[in-house]
Amino acid sequence: GYQINASVPLKKQLWQQTIKAKILNQATVLKLAGKPINKMLYWSKKVRSGDPDNYEGRAAAYYWKNIFPFEEDFIRDREGDAPNQLLNYGYAILRAVVARGLVASGLLPTFGIHHHNKYNAYCLADDIMEPYRPYVDYLVLRIIHNGENFYEMSTSIKKQLLKIPVLDVFIENKRSPLLVGIQRTTASLAKCFSGEMRRIIYPEFNYEIKRV
């Protein structure tokens, strides 16, 4: 019952932590892609409870414009041009792993801390996967850099995307598979709802990962 009775201020603080972690991880992906990070670190510091200033949106706009090595500006859109279909596929895998982690931690994926939609049974999964999305982005970036034809969802590309659950993440300064990282994150979230913890444990994208 802790989750359902969670106060609005608590949910807003948890969203603040989530967006800070997401923007920091996006900044690292930009660095690994050899791109300037502009104000990303500043924006992550400025995120307030509930992110009323929408630093998430500002950071995303800059990030998507700069992450890929294309001449023209990339637009992130589910129905958009390649490599959007790779991102969609990767995020769907990530979302499933997060939803399972939430259930295993005794949480209901339906009740989000930020996302609300009565037609979406995975609002909380959509919230909690945010800081993990950059791991998918980086994998897609590597696929592009390896010169694969990313306009088609080949078996080779699907195989690489299906490895998302076992990608390395650094969480609490330890290397672990993304799957295990997500379990740490969802367990910490359950403790935030029950009042045993104040922070969600999110991964930090680590610079040990090779630049593309």
Side-chain angles (χ1 to χ4, degrees):
Y2 290 122
Q3 179 191 357
I4 294 173
N5 299 320
S7 69
V8 171
L10 173 62
K11 288 195 249 186
K12 286 187 166 181
Q13 282 163 8
L14 296 173
W15 184 241
Q16 174 188 25
Q17 293 174 22
T18 302
I19 293 311
K20 277 180 179 284
K22 179 187 185 182
I23 296 174
L24 282 175
N25 284 344
Q26 285 177 324
T28 306
V29 173
L30 284 170
K31 268 190 184 162
L32 290 165
K35 301 293 177 72
I37 59 170
N38 190 1
K39 295 182 172 163
M40 297 287 279
L41 300 181
Y42 171 75
W43 288 334
S44 82
K45 284 195 187 82
K46 295 286 281 183
V47 177
R48 292 187 295 151
S49 183
D51 190 24
D53 314 293
N54 194 21
Y55 281 107
E56 181 192 17
R58 283 187 229 192
Y62 177 76
Y63 177 75
W64 288 119
K65 219 172 155 169
N66 291 282
I67 175 176
F68 292 123
F70 309 143
E71 294 306 314
E72 72 282 2
D73 285 348
F74 171 77
I75 295 165
R76 169 66 193 138
D77 178 358
R78 284 192 63 81
E79 310 298 324
D81 298 338
N84 273 298
Q85 84 287 23
L86 274 67
L87 293 166
N88 294 345
Y89 193 87
Y91 292 156
I93 292 166
L94 181 61
R95 190 179 194 226
V97 175
V98 174
R100 275 203 298 272
L102 290 167
V103 172
S105 296
L107 297 169
L108 301 163
T110 322
F111 296 98
I113 52 175
H114 178 78
H115 288 96
H116 300 284
N117 177 348
K118 64 178 183 211
Y119 302 109
N120 176 3
Y122 294 107
C123 287
L124 189 58
D126 289 337
D127 290 333
I128 301 305
M129 70 187 261
E130 292 289 3
Y132 284 91
R133 285 177 186 267
Y135 290 91
V136 175
D137 307 341
Y138 181 69
L139 180 58
V140 170
L141 199 56
R142 287 216 315 263
I143 290 169
I144 293 167
H145 272 273
N146 291 341
E148 292 200 52
N149 174 12
F150 59 88
Y151 290 94
E152 284 171 26
M153 283 294 284
S154 63
T155 313
S156 150
I157 287 177
K158 276 190 182 163
K159 252 188 203 150
Q160 292 173 71
L161 292 170
L162 286 167
K163 289 196 180 124
I164 285 168
V166 295
L167 287 177
D168 267 349
V169 305
F170 273 80
I171 191 154
E172 296 182 300
N173 299 321
K174 286 195 214 48
R175 186 193 295 267
S176 71
L178 180 133
L179 189 70
V180 176
I182 284 171
Q183 286 162 359
R184 306 274 316 129
T185 295
T186 57
S188 70
L189 174 63
K191 287 183 174 169
C192 289
F193 282 134
S194 69
E196 293 168 71
M197 279 176 78
R198 298 190 60 116
R199 298 197 67 76
I200 310 179
I201 298 167
Y202 278 125
E204 277 183 40
F205 214 107
N206 194 283
Y207 293 105
E208 276 187 29
I209 295 169
K210 292 184 288 297
R211 275 184 56 166
V212 288

